Amino acid sequence: MSHPTDLLAGYAAGVLPGAESVSVSAHLKACPACAAEVASWRRVGSAVRERAAEVPAPAPALFAAILGRLGHPAAREDTRVAVPRFTAEIGGRPLRRALGVLARQRALIGWPVWALSASVLAIGTALAALGPAGFAERVLGTVVPLVAALAVAGACGSDREPIGELVAATPTSPRAVLLARLTLVLGTTVAGSLLVTLALLPLAPGAGMLGLAAAWFGPLVPLSALSFALSVLWRPSAGVGAAMALWVVRVLGATGEIDRNVVRVVEPLWAPDAGVVVGAAVLVGVTVLLAPRLSHGRVRRAGF
């Protein structure tokens, strides 16, 4: 089954020729994924129109001057008109703009990402609460990094949204958008995990708030960085697969069901030192630098 991915934006805008429009319309009736993408494009169009209406129009003399420079008949009488400057605000209020980019990432992250993260965190919290004294630290140190890695893979992977072409054409850098997405996902995960840590603190009085949080925050950094790099530079399934594989090794290693040499190889990710943390930061930086250079305009096809 072939999806008319390249035609969906034009269909949503109503500019397709008759035959192509009829063909796409018939396809949408049998393809919920493409129908959802068209709906997304229409939401984008509405948002752009609303935003454009807020931007002050340039002076009428600007258009006349441009026509004059081009030799347009309507402006040949006076081709010496000086081109006025466009005085509307462009790129002002950087902090407000940064916060706006960050907040709007929420609309581009599908609800399954949040639902899966919340479910896994809830299960981990229940296990920690029902376990023996001191068990909460081990459970959170195993569950929270997995939650973060899965959320990053689900939200920051390649081809996450049908408006990549629009993002690439806006003044906001794709790198800034990617960092905003990563910040929102990890910020939400860390905030939720801190609340869970506070609730479970009575079960691990010896560790204290700082010790209990450090048990999961340490491995969260390298595991999320690895998931982020694989998801953005390759595909989300690679990030999910890597996170799950490392988690399984961790769980089986704790029960003695896996070779100790294998456990020793991945142990630095779950008990990171300064070198591992710095390496994770470098990996994120390299991924952000390389991401805009990659071509994600692949046409999706499903074979039967």
Side-chain angles (χ1 to χ4, degrees), residues 27 100 125 200:
H27 175 82
T125 303
L200 295 176

Side-chain angles (χ1 to χ4, degrees), residues 95-207:
L95 180 58
R96 179 180 177 182
R97 178 181 172 190
L99 292 176
V101 171
L102 178 63
R104 283 167 175 77
Q105 299 308 303
R106 179 180 55 82
L108 299 178
I109 300 175
W111 67 265
V113 174
W114 302 120
L116 177 62
S117 300
S119 299
V120 176
L121 189 58
I123 293 173
T125 303
L127 291 175
L130 296 175
F135 190 57
E137 186 175 357
R138 293 173 55 190
V139 171
L140 291 182
T142 302
V143 171
V144 173
L146 176 65
V147 171
L150 295 179
V152 167
C156 300
S158 59
D159 299 331
R160 274 297 308 160
E161 63 214 67
I163 57 171
E165 297 87 351
L166 181 62
V167 171
T170 60
T172 302
S173 165
R175 296 187 178 98
V177 172
L178 193 58
L179 281 174
R181 187 83 48 84
L182 180 64
T183 300
L184 179 62
V185 173
L186 288 184
T188 304
T189 302
V190 169
S193 300
L194 286 174
L195 292 177
V196 169
T197 301
L198 187 62
L200 295 176
L201 188 58
L203 301 179

